[in-house]
Amino acid sequence: MKKNWKWSTMLSMVIIAALALSACGGNSGGSGNGAAGEKVNLTFTVWGDVNSGANEQQLADEFNKAHPDIQVKFEPIPSEGYGTKLTTSLAAGQAPDVFLIGEGDYFKYVEKGVVEPLDDYLSKDSDFSLDIFQKDLIDNMNINGNQYYLPKDFNPLALWYNKRMFDEAGLEYPSEDWTWDQLIETSKKLTKKEGNKYTEFGFNAGKWEYPIYTYLWDHGTDIANEDGTEAEGFMNGEKTVAAIEKYVALSQGEDRVSPTPQDAETLGGDSSMFMTDKLAMMVTGRWVKTDLDKSDVEYGSA
């Protein structure tokens, strides 16, 4: 696929750490208030099924050892329901002192007044510099002139392809020079039917917005202006509408090359389809690699 400067920010699935307002007083959820001789207790949470040997737990242990007057308790929350539980705990005034959120919630949490700007803390810590982070990530987390968030991790998207399905069809693997037209033409050759029933699909043109952004950019259009302040004439512009219609058509009609969102859900999602040789290509991030490596699928990325 063609490279685009926006991949470094808009397409990076940024996971960020946020300080809840209650953490600044040090008394969230029964935490100590930092009075003389009293230990300050802080809670830290992330999403995911994290075991006791997680990197975050090791960091908390090392921090606690170096700071005997502060006790950080690591309490991971399963990915399923993470957002709901976090929102509920914030509304009840019992939120973790430090937590992770995705880039889609940056402004929401700032507007609700539940995260604390980090500028004062950063200015007082001469040993810590924002220069260790990619600049556009930091800029993306600076809202109304205040640095509310810091990156935990991020990654670009990639095109993942099922080598067995390509080999069986006698097709060359995707390369970095591929265009969307090449992807679609190859997808047609990898899509199979038995009667009226689709058994294999060449590509998953799902409803997740990030792959759609890449599609729009490569078609010379976008959903907003350069700084993201205006959608009129962009999201409803002729080029955007035409590109979206073309993308949606990949999962419609008798000659479709992609499952519908309902098809994908019925078949266990694109990762499950990919690992069972029912899907030849998908666009997603590095988080899928762990599951792919546990399966017997033969895969590559581009």
Side-chain angles (χ1 to χ4, degrees), residues 122 127-136 138-139 150-151:
L122 293 169
D127 294 328
F128 185 81
S129 173
L130 293 179
D131 292 341
I132 66 174
F133 298 111
Q134 188 168 314
K135 186 178 184 301
D136 50 8
I138 289 297
D139 292 345
L150 296 177

Side-chain angles (χ1 to χ4, degrees), residues 51-263:
N51 58 45
S52 59
N55 292 335
E56 288 88 351
Q57 182 62 60
Q58 294 178 34
L59 289 170
D61 292 342
E62 291 175 10
F63 181 90
N64 292 336
K65 185 177 180 180
H67 301 81
D69 56 334
I70 305 174
Q71 180 68 30
V72 174
K73 186 177 181 181
F74 176 52
E75 297 180 339
I77 298 174
S79 299
E80 190 77 22
Y82 177 88
T84 300
K85 185 167 183 178
L86 183 59
T87 300
T88 301
S89 65
L90 284 166
Q94 299 176 338
D97 298 292
V98 181
F99 54 88
L100 304 188
I101 60 172
E103 79 288 353
D105 292 323
Y106 285 179
F107 284 86
K108 179 176 73 174
Y109 282 94
V110 171
E111 290 169 354
K112 290 183 178 295
V114 296
V115 288
E116 176 77 359
L118 304 176
D119 304 85
D120 287 345
Y121 304 103
L122 293 169
S123 65
K124 294 175 182 177
D125 190 345
S126 59
D127 294 328
F128 185 81
S129 173
L130 293 179
D131 292 341
I132 66 174
F133 298 111
Q134 188 168 314
K135 186 178 184 301
D136 50 8
L137 292 180
I138 289 297
D139 292 345
N140 199 35
M141 298 173 183
N142 189 296
I143 299 174
N144 299 327
N146 292 312
Q147 194 69 46
Y148 280 95
Y149 308 111
L150 296 177
K152 174 185 177 288
D153 55 43
F154 80 100
N155 61 264
L157 301 185
L159 176 69
W160 301 77
Y161 57 91
N162 184 312
K163 289 185 175 181
R164 274 201 299 259
M165 296 179 71
F166 271 79
D167 292 343
E168 184 179 315
L171 298 172
E172 292 186 5
Y173 299 148
S175 72
E176 293 184 1
D177 298 324
W178 258 31
T179 64
W180 277 100
D181 288 341
Q182 287 174 291
L183 183 149
I184 294 169
E185 285 304 310
T186 302
S187 296
K188 293 177 180 178
K189 300 173 183 177
L190 290 162
T191 300
K192 295 183 179 180
K193 296 172 66 174
E194 291 181 359
N196 293 323
K197 182 180 179 181
Y198 285 88
T199 57
E200 297 176 15
F201 290 98
F203 177 65
N204 182 34
K207 59 184 180 180
W208 188 36
E209 64 267 31
Y210 287 99
I212 296 175
Y213 291 155
T214 73
Y215 188 84
L216 293 178
W217 296 337
D218 279 351
H219 282 73
T221 187
D222 207 337
I223 63 170
N225 62 351
E226 193 74 10
D227 58 6
T229 59
E230 185 178 345
E232 180 66 32
F234 294 89
M235 185 173 292
N236 58 353
E238 289 185 10
K239 290 182 69 175
T240 300
V241 172
I244 288 293
E245 288 178 343
K246 188 176 176 182
Y247 186 85
V248 172
L250 297 175
S251 59
Q252 295 180 335
E254 292 300 317
D255 58 348
R256 60 193 176 109
V257 299
S258 166
T260 64
Q262 294 76 20
D263 289 336

